[in-house]
Amino acid sequence: MRKRSKYFITIVIITFLLTGFSVSSIFAGEQRAGEYQVKAAFLYNFINFVEWPQQSLFENSPTINLCIIGDDPFGDALNDFQNETVRGKKLIIKYRSADDLRGCNILFLSESEKHHTAKILRSVGKSDVLTVSDTEESARQGIIISFIVEQKKVRFAVNIDAARRAGLKISAKLLRLARIVGAAEGKDSTE
């Protein structure tokens, strides 16, 4: 039952987002908590819309490691996704410091780390890590996906150039929902 309700909530949240309802209308009185429930659902669903290189850590591991760096803004929002299977792999949530990024397939940088973005990106290098951030300007700094809150709606920006450097391909379906940033604005990364 828990698994079915989680998927139902995810579908409802994404449907509300696509039809223009705001985060506050979904979670009346709990805007901050609701914002991070939406972001958690997006993080979980991004996995289905990203293709990692064939020889990557992602493709050759039984788990998907989602690493959170900095202050944890999610609270309990990620709990329903811990140990869930997606693309045949178990999703593991890990809390890391910027000095320990080993084994991360997805790296979420919280807003508390925005002044360390360049250092963290240097640490990740050109490895096949999907970087996601909680600050709008980070996509222009080289983060692959950045969350944006506009008029109380959670949106996201995708830096296609950063995805290409990491060897990741972002699905055209996901790109249609995103604001594209970087020199490749308007181009499809599935080419």
Side-chain angles (χ1 to χ4, degrees), residues 22-33:
S22 69
V23 173
S24 60
S25 68
I26 298 170
F27 302 100
E30 298 178 15
Q31 184 172 346
R32 185 84 172 152

Side-chain angles (χ1 to χ4, degrees), residues 106-125:
I106 304 167
L107 184 61
F108 178 84
L109 286 75
S110 70
E111 188 173 359
S112 67
E113 297 302 302
K114 70 181 178 183
H115 299 296
H116 305 287
T117 301
K119 176 186 172 192
I120 292 166
L121 286 173
R122 279 192 303 276
S123 295
V124 172

Side-chain angles (χ1 to χ4, degrees), residues 10-166:
T10 301
I11 290 168
V12 168
I13 289 170
I14 291 173
T15 300
F16 277 126
L17 288 172
L18 294 176
T19 57
F21 286 91
S22 69
V23 173
S24 60
S25 68
I26 298 170
F27 302 100
E30 298 178 15
Q31 184 172 346
R32 185 84 172 152
E35 174 184 333
Y36 282 94
Q37 282 193 294
V38 170
K39 289 177 179 181
F42 270 124
L43 276 173
Y44 177 79
N45 284 289
F46 286 156
I47 297 165
N48 290 311
F49 296 97
V50 174
E51 184 181 322
W52 276 261
Q54 197 62 31
Q55 299 303 316
S56 68
L57 175 64
F58 177 90
E59 292 296 335
N60 295 295
S61 172
T63 62
I64 300 169
N65 297 316
L66 168 57
C67 301
I68 311 294
I69 296 179
D71 298 337
D72 177 16
F74 292 98
D76 294 336
L78 284 171
N79 290 352
D80 285 341
F81 301 107
Q82 176 80 306
N83 295 317
E84 286 297 318
T85 301
V86 60
R87 291 180 58 179
K89 301 171 186 291
K90 185 187 290 188
L91 180 64
I92 306 295
I93 314 294
K94 298 182 175 194
Y95 299 90
R96 296 284 176 89
S97 72
D99 298 324
D100 182 18
L101 305 178
R102 291 170 296 138
C104 297
N105 305 113
I106 304 167
L107 184 61
F108 178 84
L109 286 75
S110 70
E111 188 173 359
S112 67
E113 297 302 302
K114 70 181 178 183
H115 299 296
H116 305 287
T117 301
K119 176 186 172 192
I120 292 166
L121 286 173
R122 279 192 303 276
S123 295
V124 172
K126 292 184 179 181
S127 63
D128 52 17
V129 175
L130 175 63
T131 53
V132 183
S133 179
D134 213 11
T135 61
E136 182 175 351
E137 68 276 1
S138 61
R140 294 200 187 280
Q141 296 172 323
I143 294 292
I144 297 170
I145 299 176
S146 298
F147 285 116
I148 303 164
V149 178
E150 295 174 330
Q151 300 173 0
K152 300 181 183 178
K153 297 174 190 170
V154 177
R155 307 273 190 223
F156 56 93
V158 174
N159 183 322
I160 293 175
D161 291 339
R164 284 189 179 132
R165 282 191 299 274

